Amino acid sequence: MLYLSHADTQRLDIRMTDVVPAIEEAFRRVGNGQAVVAPRVRVLHPPLEKNSTGKGRPWVRDLRIIPGAVEEIGYGVRLGTSLRRQAGGVILVLFDWQTMELSALISDHLVHAVRSTAPCGVMAKYLALENASTLALIGSGRLGRWAAEAVCAVRPIRDLRVWSPTPAHRRECVEYLQSRLGASIQVREVENSEVAIRGAEIVTTATKSLEPVMKGEWLSLGCTVLCNTPEELDQETFMRGKIITTYNDGILSHVPPYHSLVELVDAGKLSEADFSTELGDIVTGKTPGRVSKDQIIVGLNPAFGILDAATAEFVFRRAKAMGIGIELEP
């Protein structure tokens, strides 16, 4: 059994150009019925009141258990905790598909952000305009950085506009992404989210906001929006776009809720049929994705265990090939 510390995962020098194809293959197997998805378990304290959906994230302590299995790849389980919305302990567990033996224990601080946002690359490949060159990034933290890199791995981005509310964070994010993506992409900070989004062909959001960080009226025809946390989009964005999800069952049942979307459903303005298309079915060609150059598409990326299994297996193989990690007795 291989153990990978946080320092070990840093030494792997993970790049989205390598991760996105692995996650794409996982979605292909999901679409072909070669995967098993189980609901996440979330243990909150204080517990939610009866009939609460968790809007506003009122809990203090949070334990998440997220399982999934992909044929010939493995079983993965993510265990993660947080205290007052700040990360606590995180570990990723991989079981071998053939033997069901424990293959790896992986520190999930860095890997979590990779796993959570690699689907943005798959969605951008299948849903965004093929020649999309302008990307707006709303959020400058770990998830935002990896999400931007995932999009840049599959589309010819030349102008990357970064906005988040803290100037120092914005500048540091711009410097980081410029060093990762190279001189062919101009990475620049902008003064507000509207400036970032207007005219952008792809928008990706990855923030800690409890309220929408954008307005649907800012979106240009043909834009693809990639959302990584539930509270970020307003109702007009959902009404203007064709909604694609990575995992349908993770939408209405999500804690906390995609509250703008839930409110539209409760009001009868949208139904579950309006967001019944999953990315796996598009990757396998069962369902069309984009059908016109002017179509606005909204991609929702709720976390689910298929991503943990596929990412854990990718990290495990890379570590074994590079001789990184510590072998432990099973």
Side-chain angles (χ1 to χ4, degrees):
M1 179 184 68
L2 187 67
Y3 170 69
L4 295 171
S5 67
H6 180 229
D8 291 331
T9 60
Q10 290 176 309
R11 291 170 57 203
L12 293 175
D13 189 27
I14 296 172
R15 301 283 170 159
M16 279 298 190
T17 49
D18 300 318
V19 179
V20 170
I23 298 301
E24 179 183 356
E25 177 58 28
F27 277 110
R28 180 172 289 107
R29 297 188 190 199
V30 170
N32 285 328
Q34 298 173 284
V36 180
V37 182
R40 70 158 66 188
V41 175
R42 196 158 198 164
V43 183
L44 305 174
H45 189 274
L48 296 178
E49 296 180 2
K50 186 177 181 180
N51 299 324
S52 171
T53 59
K55 183 177 180 179
R57 306 191 185 215
W59 54 84
V60 176
R61 289 171 171 82
D62 178 13
L63 166 66
R64 298 171 302 284
I65 306 167
I66 308 177
V70 187
E71 287 184 16
E72 305 301 328
I73 289 178
Y75 275 75
V77 181
R78 181 180 190 265
L79 303 172
T81 62
S82 63
L83 177 64
R84 297 183 181 89
R85 299 185 66 211
Q86 300 300 314
V90 284
I91 195 76
L92 187 55
V93 184
L94 176 67
F95 295 90
D96 182 85
W97 176 261
Q98 300 298 335
T99 67
M100 292 300 291
E101 293 180 350
L102 184 58
S103 297
L105 294 175
I106 304 168
S107 169
D108 201 34
H109 180 72
L110 182 153
V111 175
H112 165 248
V114 175
R115 152 271 201 194
S116 296
T117 57
C120 292
V122 184
M123 286 193 286
K125 177 178 177 178
Y126 284 87
L127 303 176
L129 295 169
E130 189 171 353
N131 61 349
S133 62
T134 305
L135 169 63
L137 170 60
I138 309 302
S140 57
R142 293 183 303 124
L143 265 66
R145 298 175 191 202
W146 285 107
E149 185 174 327
V151 172
C152 292
V154 300
R155 282 294 176 261
I157 303 300
R158 293 293 175 264
D159 181 19
L160 201 174
R161 311 163 182 173
V162 179
W163 184 82
S164 71
T166 306
H169 292 175
R170 282 203 307 270
R171 288 190 290 272
E172 199 274 331
C173 177
V174 166
E175 292 173 1
Y176 171 86
L177 286 173
Q178 193 69 76
S179 68
R180 293 276 291 186
L181 299 174
S184 63
I185 300 176
Q186 179 191 29
V187 186
R188 57 192 177 97
E189 61 174 314
V190 295
E191 58 266 32
N192 58 58
S193 56
E194 182 176 359
V195 171
I197 291 169
R198 284 198 181 275
E201 293 155 305
I202 303 175
V203 176
T204 186
T205 58
T207 74
K208 291 184 177 181
S209 176
L210 301 182
E211 298 295 333
V213 297
M214 58 177 288
K215 294 183 178 181
E217 66 187 65
W218 300 342
L219 298 173
S220 300
L221 294 179
C223 184
T224 301
V225 180
L226 306 175
C227 173
N228 290 289
T229 60
E231 298 98 335
E232 296 175 324
L233 305 186
D234 70 345
Q235 291 188 357
E236 186 168 358
T237 297
F238 287 117
M239 293 299 293
R240 291 192 70 192
K242 174 183 179 179
I243 302 170
I244 308 293
T245 79
T246 55
Y247 171 46
N248 286 350
D249 289 345
I251 301 300
L252 290 183
S253 63
H254 200 281
V255 176
Y258 288 78
H259 55 78
S260 293
L261 181 58
V262 171
E263 288 167 3
L264 288 169
V265 173
D266 289 344
K269 297 180 179 179
L270 289 177
S271 71
E272 291 188 47
D274 293 309
F275 48 93
S276 62
T277 302
E278 288 189 332
L279 181 60
D281 289 332
I282 294 174
V283 172
T284 55
K286 295 178 181 178
T287 304
R290 174 177 293 278
V291 297
S292 76
K293 65 180 180 62
D294 288 338
Q295 186 178 37
I296 293 173
I297 295 183
V298 178
L300 303 182
N301 180 26
F304 72 133
I306 297 307
L307 306 180
D308 297 293
T311 305
E313 200 266 346
F314 169 86
V315 170
F316 173 68
R317 284 190 291 104
R318 188 174 181 89
K320 293 287 281 188
M322 296 176 68
I324 293 175
I326 301 173
E327 291 287 349
L328 301 177
E329 290 293 327

